[in-house]
Amino acid sequence: MNNYLITLGKKAKQAARFLGTASTTVKNQALKEIIQQLKMDKPTLLAANQQDILNAKETNLPEAMIDRLLLTSERIDTMCSDIETIIGLSDPIGTVDKMWKNEDDLMIGKQRVPLGVIGIIYEARPNVTTDAASLCFKAGNAIILRGGKEAFHSNQALVTSMQTALEMVELPKECIQLIEDTSRETAKEFMQLNGYLDVLIPRGGAKLIQTVVQTATVPVIETGTGNCHVYVDKDADLKMALEIVINGKCQRPSVCNSTETVVVHEDIADVFLPQLEKALEVFKVEIRADETARKFIKVSTLATEEDFATEFNDFILAVKVVQSLEEAIDHIDTYTTHHSEVIVTENYTTSQTFLKQIDAAAVYVNASSRFTDGSVFGFGGEIGISTQKLHARGPMGLNELTSTKYIIYGNGQIRN
Amino acid sequence: MNNYLITLGKKAKQAARFLGTASTTVKNQALKEIIQQLKMDKPTLLAANQQDILNAKETNLPEAMIDRLLLTSERIDTMCSDIETIIGLSDPIGTVDKMWKNEDDLMIGKQRVPLGVIGIIYEARPNVTTDAASLCFKAGNAIILRGGKEAFHSNQALVTSMQTALEMVELPKECIQLIEDTSRETAKEFMQLNGYLDVLIPRGGAKLIQTVVQTATVPVIETGTGNCHVYVDKDADLKMALEIVINGKCQRPSVCNSTETVVVHEDIADVFLPQLEKALEVFKVEIRADETARKFIKVSTLATEEDFATEFNDFILAVKVVQSLEEAIDHIDTYTTHHSEVIVTENYTTSQTFLKQIDAAAVYVNASSRFTDGSVFGFGGEIGISTQKLHARGPMGLNELTSTKYIIYGNGQIRN
């Protein structure tokens, strides 16, 4: 085992034990202190980030990646206002979800407690460092961060700043820790740090997430990948359908809840598809369509199996024509990543069948797939969108960063 | 990859999709049919079990293990009445836990859905085969069972009987499947059957559970190991404390919620420990005590670190004397398996501190640790007792065998 990680793990466990029983007031004070410290440390943070940016340019990182890596004074302000939002969220810890009396006259309560120590593995977005840390912290958890090596200096400066703030309010600075060894080997050992990590959450692209799922022996929550579909039913309001598809594809194509494939009922394909093509032209969206769909579309390439399975995260849309609701559900069932799926229909029974049969974190009737988001759902923020079924599914807010314990009040009961 | 397992996995997924939307009536009918079929098949089941028993005797399996393996007509009746209980439980599937309207006027509901396909790895208790299968089935999940090789013929006969019943009510027999290849290699591949298993639950001893945790790449729920403590505070009602310790240790020492260590405050050690020793003598309990405790106990051996860390599951009790509540909490925190922990005290503040600071699935004031059990808690039955924090903690009933999905009713909303 890796002694460095074990030391981090032990300190995190100690900090978690302390933080787990800290009051909401204390936790909010610490978050306020973090905001102040980050603002005060701006020069240091920006200088550290410049080092990362220089390295990135030297190693010819793609422009888009450099942009994600970049910190500016405004971006630090945004990170701070995100923490401000978290301060405003109500603290789930200590809440008793329900309490009942059993046949032995025991009072059994199910109480929210922190998960304990949360590990986050992510790529080169420094804002994840403060976002993840403050959300986990508010739910009473210690956090160990393992960010991408490209953002190392930025992350180090951010964590130092947050730790300084924690010490100011006399909380253990090990509530928030960064793994300073960014080697792959250490990352692998981190994924197998059983006994120290209560859960590991990967945040990033499909490849990172699959590596974590395959390698980890600690409990993992799979997040993120979204191959989302809109099914335009024969009974759809076509104007509404057009708006929902355009919004799903074009409003922000790079994110996981954007729409990747539109499935169209054959009865309305001849009317809907030409309208769709015209609307997509405005955004220069490339269409990859199946043979039937291509009869109604002027410019498109033939969609492959691969296209239907791909999360483009780009201005590309796959189009499939089906003969029935059942065929639509089958297609979605084959290619879904169980993130967000949409039906557009005015038919009551069709909508109910779709809601019942589609297996996804979020199933929509007559709304854009883009709404799957912790803030939109009313959770205030999110650590990611779970696409697995265990523990949490869909946007994970504060509540999903907690566990429960049973507290039992007796008066001398013994079991017969 | 193992083609045999993949075939099983594919069939289970298909069956799960069908079963996931089956009505409560259909599921209960199937369970009734299973009861009838098991009763009808008694001669076949007993004959198959006899084969396992003969093999077990030939390979000199310990008597206790042979007893656990044995099926009798009465034991089959008990298995059937356990299924009867499950029929009586209310079906969580389809229930909307809460529904709210967000700022976009979307109606967002959180609905209970099955987990999908559940894998169970267990040892040589044939009753787990019917228990686990019927509980998972009632919650709409397909199940793949991998039982111990010692019970192979029994399990095969039981699953065949259950599958016959499923076919009678026109449900896919693949709702309940058994892995007929009991090799270790196949077990390992089963633990890594990503894409087919939504969760894997090991049921058995600490060694089995640790192997699964270390090997599995699919999501696992850790169950079972219970190194449970009773802390007898200086303000305890000593008569109550005595009853609670004796019940925890002696009523059924082989199970995970039995008491393994009693932690005693030094102020009452001189009075309590001699009483305890006398009461334990009746059950011939061996005492392993720390040095301070041995001053007040006539016959005992010196407890080692190892003793405090051991789940004896036997008529052995470790005894530790502490100087304060804090030292008691520290001791428990060091050796706990986070299962069930008990304080006996009449002091209000002490009870609240213990409830808050102890990190376990169930924390009791003034009651025996033996109550941690799905039936006792009012869940009707349980698939095991989770000692991890993710997804479920404590006794896992029907509700813990479900996931959720968000169902969202819109009227054309798009995101700005």
Side-chain angles (χ1 to χ4, degrees):
Chain A
M1 284 297 278
N2 183 315
N3 283 327
Y4 168 63
L5 287 180
I6 288 176
T7 306
L8 250 59
K10 281 188 180 159
K11 286 184 178 168
K13 279 189 88 152
Q14 269 175 339
R17 190 174 154 192
F18 191 91
L19 185 59
T21 57
S23 71
T24 307
T25 312
V26 165
K27 290 188 284 187
N28 283 343
Q29 267 167 353
L31 289 170
K32 278 177 201 156
E33 198 66 42
I34 286 175
I35 292 176
Q36 288 204 319
Q37 195 66 40
L38 289 172
K39 294 203 168 178
M40 223 152 70
D41 289 343
K42 265 188 192 178
T44 325
L45 299 175
L46 294 174
N49 183 250
Q50 269 310 304
Q51 244 184 298
D52 288 332
I53 296 289
L54 279 177
N55 290 344
K57 284 182 178 161
E58 266 173 34
T59 51
N60 291 315
L61 237 60
E63 268 308 315
M65 212 162 151
I66 292 180
D67 180 60
R68 284 203 287 269
L69 182 57
L70 183 71
L71 283 182
T72 62
S73 177
E74 294 71 34
R75 285 188 180 184
I76 294 173
D77 287 338
T78 307
M79 286 154 71
C80 289
S81 73
D82 288 345
I83 301 175
E84 198 69 55
T85 306
I86 291 168
I87 293 174
L89 298 178
S90 77
D91 181 359
I93 299 306
T95 305
V96 175
D97 288 352
K98 51 183 172 176
M99 192 161 205
W100 66 97
K101 200 177 75 174
N102 85 340
E103 290 181 358
D104 307 284
D105 263 350
L106 292 168
M107 288 295 297
I108 306 175
K110 192 172 187 178
Q111 188 177 40
R112 290 267 149 213
V113 296
L115 281 167
V117 180
I118 299 179
I120 310 272
I121 294 198
Y122 55 111
E123 294 169 340
R125 290 175 184 258
N127 66 311
V128 174
T129 308
T130 53
D131 270 13
S134 44
L135 208 58
C136 290
F137 177 87
K138 174 81 180 230
N141 301 289
I143 190 169
I144 303 178
L145 299 156
R146 198 282 186 186
K149 66 175 189 302
E150 299 82 3
F152 176 69
H153 297 98
S154 313
N155 290 337
Q156 200 178 34
L158 288 165
V159 169
T160 302
S161 186
M162 291 191 284
Q163 288 187 335
T164 306
L166 290 175
E167 286 186 318
M168 304 269 252
V169 294
E170 290 173 4
L171 279 175
K173 71 175 198 293
E174 291 85 4
C175 291
I176 302 172
Q177 293 183 101
L178 178 73
I179 299 179
E180 303 210 333
D181 168 358
T182 57
S183 70
R184 271 163 192 267
E185 187 48 42
T186 298
K188 192 185 156 192
E189 288 169 326
F190 183 48
M191 299 177 208
Q192 303 181 342
L193 200 60
N194 293 72
Y196 298 98
L197 284 186
D198 292 288
V199 58
L200 179 61
I201 306 175
R203 280 188 60 165
K207 208 180 140 195
L208 171 74
I209 289 160
Q210 276 319 303
T211 305
V212 173
V213 168
Q214 291 297 328
T215 312
T217 51
V218 299
V220 168
I221 296 181
E222 211 175 324
T223 62
T225 45
N227 186 16
C228 308
H229 301 75
V230 173
Y231 168 54
V232 183
D233 183 46
K234 69 179 166 61
D235 298 323
D237 173 333
L238 295 190
K239 186 169 167 292
M240 184 194 285
L242 199 61
E243 283 175 1
I244 285 172
V245 174
I246 296 298
N247 185 256
K249 180 73 272 178
C250 307
Q251 195 244 355
R252 202 172 163 204
S254 65
V255 292
C256 60
N257 59 19
S258 64
T259 300
E260 304 296 3
T261 298
V262 58
V263 180
V264 179
H265 193 286
E266 61 175 2
D267 288 5
I268 47 98
D270 59 334
V271 179
F272 182 69
L273 288 177
Q275 290 175 9
L276 180 64
E277 182 177 19
K278 203 173 154 198
L280 290 170
E281 269 169 18
V282 180
F283 297 92
K284 299 195 170 59
V285 173
E286 179 191 337
I287 301 178
R288 301 190 186 168
D290 72 351
E291 273 188 45
T292 316
R294 293 183 80 197
K295 289 184 207 156
F296 312 109
I297 297 172
K298 277 178 280 173
V299 185
S300 69
T301 52
L302 187 64
T304 60
E305 281 251 346
E306 178 73 21
D307 287 324
F308 288 124
T310 300
E311 185 185 2
F312 300 115
N313 283 340
D314 203 347
F315 287 96
I316 304 170
L317 181 72
V319 180
K320 162 95 185 166
V321 171
V322 293
Q323 296 182 334
S324 64
L325 170 66
E326 289 65 40
E327 196 189 339
I329 291 174
D330 275 340
H331 178 87
I332 294 172
D333 204 55
T334 306
Y335 297 105
T336 183
T337 55
H338 310 284
H339 191 296
S340 300
E341 305 295 356
V342 176
I343 186 172
V344 185
T345 189
E346 292 298 311
N347 183 303
Y348 173 77
T349 301
T350 305
S351 73
Q352 293 301 309
T353 305
F354 191 86
L355 282 173
K356 193 170 176 183
Q357 299 216 343
I358 290 292
D359 179 26
V363 188
Y364 292 84
V365 180
N366 295 348
S368 166
S369 63
R370 287 278 295 112
F371 286 108
T372 305
D373 178 301
S375 307
V376 171
F377 275 26
F379 306 160
E382 64 172 41
I383 193 93
I385 293 171
S386 163
T387 52
Q388 70 176 41
K389 291 191 190 164
L390 218 60
H391 185 72
R393 203 175 189 203
M396 294 176 62
L398 274 186
N399 228 36
E400 284 68 33
L401 293 173
T402 67
S403 179
T404 56
K405 75 176 173 194
Y406 290 104
I407 51 172
I408 300 125
Y409 292 89
N411 48 29
Q413 284 89 339
I414 57 170
R415 191 158 174 191
N416 297 315
Chain B
M1 284 296 279
N2 183 315
N3 284 325
Y4 169 64
L5 287 180
I6 288 175
T7 307
L8 249 59
K10 281 188 180 158
K11 286 184 178 169
K13 278 188 88 150
Q14 270 175 339
R17 190 174 153 192
F18 192 91
L19 184 60
T21 57
S23 71
T24 308
T25 312
V26 165
K27 289 188 283 189
N28 282 343
Q29 268 168 354
L31 289 170
K32 278 177 200 154
E33 197 67 40
I34 286 175
I35 293 176
Q36 287 205 319
Q37 195 66 40
L38 289 172
K39 294 205 168 177
M40 222 151 71
D41 289 344
K42 263 188 191 177
T44 325
L45 299 175
L46 294 174
N49 183 251
Q50 269 311 306
Q51 245 183 298
D52 288 330
I53 296 289
L54 278 177
N55 289 345
K57 285 182 176 162
E58 266 174 33
T59 52
N60 291 315
L61 238 59
E63 268 308 314
M65 211 163 153
I66 293 180
D67 180 60
R68 283 203 287 269
L69 182 56
L70 184 71
L71 283 182
T72 62
S73 178
E74 293 70 35
R75 286 187 179 184
I76 294 172
D77 288 338
T78 307
M79 286 154 73
C80 289
S81 73
D82 288 344
I83 301 176
E84 199 69 55
T85 306
I86 291 168
I87 292 174
L89 299 177
S90 77
D91 181 0
I93 300 306
T95 305
V96 175
D97 289 352
K98 51 183 173 178
M99 192 161 204
W100 67 95
K101 200 176 76 173
N102 85 340
E103 290 181 358
D104 307 284
D105 262 350
L106 291 168
M107 288 294 297
I108 305 175
K110 192 172 188 179
Q111 187 177 41
R112 290 268 147 212
V113 296
L115 281 167
V117 179
I118 298 178
I120 310 271
I121 293 198
Y122 55 112
E123 293 169 341
R125 290 175 184 256
N127 66 312
V128 174
T129 308
T130 54
D131 270 13
S134 43
L135 207 59
C136 291
F137 178 88
K138 175 81 181 231
N141 301 290
I143 189 168
I144 302 179
L145 298 156
R146 199 284 187 185
K149 64 174 191 300
E150 299 80 5
F152 176 69
H153 297 98
S154 313
N155 289 338
Q156 200 180 35
L158 287 165
V159 169
T160 303
S161 186
M162 290 190 285
Q163 288 188 334
T164 307
L166 291 175
E167 286 186 318
M168 303 271 252
V169 295
E170 289 173 3
L171 280 174
K173 71 176 198 292
E174 291 85 4
C175 291
I176 302 172
Q177 294 183 99
L178 179 73
I179 298 179
E180 303 210 332
D181 168 356
T182 56
S183 70
R184 270 161 191 267
E185 187 48 41
T186 299
K188 191 184 156 192
E189 288 169 326
F190 183 49
M191 298 176 208
Q192 304 181 341
L193 200 61
N194 292 73
Y196 298 99
L197 284 186
D198 291 289
V199 58
L200 178 61
I201 305 174
R203 280 189 59 166
K207 208 179 139 197
L208 170 74
I209 289 161
Q210 277 318 305
T211 305
V212 172
V213 168
Q214 291 297 329
T215 313
T217 52
V218 300
V220 168
I221 295 181
E222 213 174 321
T223 62
T225 45
N227 186 17
C228 307
H229 301 75
V230 174
Y231 168 54
V232 183
D233 184 46
K234 69 178 166 62
D235 297 322
D237 173 333
L238 295 189
K239 186 170 167 291
M240 185 194 284
L242 199 62
E243 282 176 2
I244 285 172
V245 175
I246 296 297
N247 184 256
K249 179 72 271 177
C250 306
Q251 196 243 357
R252 203 172 163 204
S254 64
V255 292
C256 60
N257 59 19
S258 63
T259 299
E260 305 295 3
T261 298
V262 58
V263 180
V264 180
H265 194 286
E266 60 175 3
D267 288 5
I268 47 99
D270 60 335
V271 179
F272 182 69
L273 287 176
Q275 290 175 8
L276 180 64
E277 182 178 21
K278 203 174 154 196
L280 289 170
E281 269 169 19
V282 181
F283 296 93
K284 300 194 170 60
V285 174
E286 179 190 339
I287 301 178
R288 301 191 186 167
D290 72 352
E291 273 189 46
T292 318
R294 293 183 81 196
K295 289 186 209 157
F296 311 109
I297 297 172
K298 276 178 283 175
V299 186
S300 69
T301 52
L302 186 64
T304 60
E305 282 252 346
E306 178 72 22
D307 287 324
F308 288 125
T310 300
E311 186 185 2
F312 300 115
N313 283 340
D314 204 346
F315 287 97
I316 304 169
L317 181 72
V319 180
K320 162 98 185 164
V321 172
V322 292
Q323 296 182 333
S324 63
L325 171 65
E326 289 64 41
E327 196 189 341
I329 291 174
D330 274 340
H331 178 86
I332 294 173
D333 204 55
T334 307
Y335 297 104
T336 183
T337 55
H338 309 284
H339 191 297
S340 301
E341 305 296 356
V342 175
I343 185 172
V344 185
T345 190
E346 292 298 311
N347 183 304
Y348 173 78
T349 301
T350 305
S351 73
Q352 293 300 309
T353 305
F354 191 86
L355 281 173
K356 193 169 176 184
Q357 298 216 345
I358 290 291
D359 179 25
V363 188
Y364 291 84
V365 180
N366 295 347
S368 167
S369 64
R370 287 278 296 111
F371 286 108
T372 307
D373 177 302
S375 306
V376 171
F377 274 27
F379 306 160
E382 64 173 40
I383 194 92
I385 292 171
S386 163
T387 52
Q388 70 175 39
K389 291 192 190 163
L390 218 61
H391 184 71
R393 202 173 189 205
M396 295 176 60
L398 274 185
N399 228 36
E400 284 69 32
L401 293 172
T402 66
S403 178
T404 56
K405 75 176 172 193
Y406 289 104
I407 52 172
I408 299 125
Y409 292 89
N411 48 29
Q413 283 90 338
I414 58 171
R415 191 158 175 191
N416 298 314

